[in-house]
Amino acid sequence: MLKRRTLLTTLPTLAKEWKVAFEFKPKSYNQRYTYAQVLQMTIGGKSGSVGDQTPSLMLHKRRGVYIVTALNGKAKVGKFFRSMKPPVGKWTRIEISQAKQDSRYLFSLTIGGKKVWSVANSKPEEFSDVKVYASSPWYGAQAGAIRGLQIEN
């Protein structure tokens, strides 16, 4: 079960190219929080600095899946996917990545095998001492669980 303030690991380095993959099974979407977090990778802060959300995955009561990441030199760029909420009680694979394709870096989100967002990142960065939370100290945890977490650099 996801629980607030759960530090899973600290990565010595998060390179410019990376992939995070896991399966997520929501228990319900009846949380009292407007935003309920599944995963956050951070250099240490909530959201104010580039690297604080690299990335962060949350669920919003009405607006669906919410992904936030450092993009194009901005600390916090987010996008909602209303129709992509994983079904309650079922495992859904989620992949979040940043990969170099030709001469540019693309940040991507895939939910249940469907690529829902792919956007160029003109200022990819490498980060040090990246904490991996499920979920972080700053947001309430989404009711549910993750399994099979893999992080590739």
Side-chain angles (χ1 to χ4, degrees):
M1 296 300 289
L2 297 170
K3 189 176 176 192
R4 190 174 190 168
R5 294 181 183 86
T6 302
L7 178 64
L8 301 178
T9 190
T10 300
L11 307 173
T13 303
L14 184 67
K16 290 181 183 181
E17 287 189 88
W18 51 267
K19 180 168 114 175
V20 177
F22 58 92
E23 288 184 290
F24 168 59
K25 180 168 78 171
K27 183 177 177 186
S28 74
Y29 290 115
N30 298 326
Q31 67 269 9
R32 62 181 178 181
Y33 312 104
T34 303
Y35 290 94
Q37 193 170 60
V38 176
L39 184 87
Q40 181 168 348
M41 293 169 56
T42 176
I43 58 170
K46 177 181 176 183
S47 63
S49 298
V50 173
D52 283 343
Q53 292 180 311
T54 64
S56 176
L57 183 75
M58 294 181 259
L59 279 292
H60 185 275
K61 280 184 178 180
R62 293 172 301 286
R63 298 175 78 186
V65 174
Y66 184 47
I67 184 78
V68 182
T69 194
L71 197 63
N72 302 323
K74 295 179 181 162
K76 184 177 175 179
V77 175
K79 189 167 174 87
F80 288 96
F81 299 92
R82 185 183 307 264
S83 64
M84 295 307 298
K85 279 170 54 174
V88 171
K90 297 197 177 189
W91 290 105
T92 301
R93 184 165 173 82
I94 302 203
E95 292 182 15
I96 309 165
S97 65
Q98 183 165 277
K100 191 171 186 180
Q101 293 186 355
D102 300 320
S103 62
R104 62 187 190 154
Y105 288 84
L106 293 178
F107 173 83
S108 299
L109 171 64
T110 302
I111 301 173
K114 181 179 178 187
K115 188 175 282 189
V116 296
W117 193 30
S118 185
V119 61
N121 185 356
S122 63
K123 293 185 179 174
E125 294 190 37
E126 184 174 293
F127 299 105
S128 299
D129 298 318
V130 177
K131 293 169 181 52
V132 181
Y133 287 101
S135 76
S136 75
W138 305 288
Y139 298 97
Q142 168 63 45
I146 63 170
R147 71 179 181 191
L149 177 66
Q150 297 174 304
I151 302 172
E152 298 174 14
N153 258 316

